[in-house]
Amino acid sequence: MDGFQKRKERKKDTILNAALSLFKDFGIKKVSVTEIADQANVSQVTIYNYFGSKDDLTHAVMVYYLEEIWRDYEILLDSNLSYDEKIKQIIFKEGEIANQISETFFKEFMKYYKADTSINDYYTNKVVPRMIQFFDEGKRLGYVNPNISNDAILFYIQMFMEYMQRDEVSTKMLSLTEDVITLFFYGIFGKDQN
């Protein structure tokens, strides 16, 4: 990549970061291209040249945000931490993510997730296979009940995701994120006592 291309990519990342920061605080609909341009210290024309429209920028931000979150999870899942510590870190990380975004952004993100096939494809083709590996590792290590099929785990996750996309749920979800993720990993009764 030559110097021009590097500068272009840095400017694009600056715009994505500025938009993401504003979206997290105020939601997508409440943020204008003018505000994003001001935050990124670029002109509106630059944003339109790079992304075409606010809708295209929003899509790029959503993909960027998902990739950013997933990259952190991959580092965690590939780390040398114990399985139990990885679970604790996932629970902590989910709580941390929930604390960094507004309720408005969460609602909009969940609607976007539901409607956008490329986001769904990313989740299906990248996230799900890696999580299956994580659950298989948990089964081998005795943290996950080996009698529960991966299909049942995926079904449970899908129910969870679909439920979170409901408007009346998203208002409660952010404050309950850590508890819900803890329930997901440990169940109502915690670890099996046998």
Side-chain angles (χ1 to χ4, degrees):
M1 189 181 301
D2 64 20
F4 173 77
Q5 194 62 31
K6 284 181 186 177
R7 284 189 303 279
K8 186 176 176 181
E9 288 303 311
R10 276 196 304 268
K11 191 172 284 191
K12 199 172 181 181
D13 283 347
T14 299
I15 294 166
L16 290 170
N17 280 312
L20 178 58
S21 175
L22 290 167
F23 290 171
K24 282 179 176 181
D25 288 344
F26 305 107
I28 298 163
K29 292 178 185 172
K30 292 181 182 175
V31 175
S32 69
V33 173
T34 302
E35 292 168 316
I36 295 167
D38 289 345
Q39 178 89 3
N41 203 25
V42 299
S43 71
Q44 291 179 55
V45 173
T46 301
I47 291 176
Y48 288 118
N49 284 340
Y50 280 51
F51 297 99
S53 68
K54 184 180 177 190
D55 287 341
D56 291 340
L57 172 61
T58 299
H59 175 75
V61 169
M62 293 302 188
V63 171
Y64 180 78
Y65 183 53
L66 187 62
E67 288 175 344
E68 180 182 85
I69 291 170
W70 183 242
R71 193 172 30 256
D72 289 345
Y73 276 108
E74 283 184 310
I75 291 167
L76 172 62
L77 294 174
D78 292 337
S79 73
N80 292 326
L81 294 172
S82 69
Y83 195 84
D84 193 42
E85 188 58 33
K86 287 178 185 179
I87 292 172
K88 290 175 186 172
Q89 288 295 317
I90 289 170
I91 293 167
F92 174 76
K93 195 172 280 297
E94 285 292 326
E96 198 174 58
I97 290 168
N99 289 330
Q100 294 173 354
I101 62 174
S102 68
E103 188 178 296
T104 303
F105 178 70
F106 180 75
K107 283 182 189 179
E108 291 172 338
F109 181 81
M110 293 312 294
K111 282 183 181 177
Y112 200 89
Y113 170 85
K114 185 177 184 178
D116 190 281
T117 56
S118 67
I119 301 277
N120 272 303
D121 289 346
Y122 185 90
Y123 175 77
T124 301
N125 298 321
K126 189 144 184 146
V127 176
V128 169
R130 185 60 182 94
M131 291 309 293
I132 294 286
Q133 288 176 346
F134 183 63
F135 293 129
D136 285 343
E137 178 186 355
K139 288 177 184 181
R140 282 191 308 278
L141 296 172
Y143 286 95
V144 177
N145 184 335
N147 298 321
I148 298 175
S149 70
N150 288 336
D151 286 339
I153 294 170
L154 291 176
F155 180 74
Y156 184 75
I157 292 170
Q158 188 60 37
M159 285 188 329
F160 179 73
M161 293 299 290
E162 287 177 14
Y163 188 71
M164 283 192 335
Q165 292 169 7
R166 296 166 70 179
D167 282 339
E168 69 274 13
V169 173
S170 60
T171 58
K172 300 176 208 165
M173 188 59 204
L174 287 179
S175 63
L176 298 174
T177 298
E178 256 183 84
D179 288 345
V180 171
I181 299 299
T182 300
L183 279 171
F184 174 79
F185 281 110
Y186 295 115
I188 293 171
F189 296 108
K191 294 181 183 177
D192 184 12
Q193 301 302 311
N194 295 328

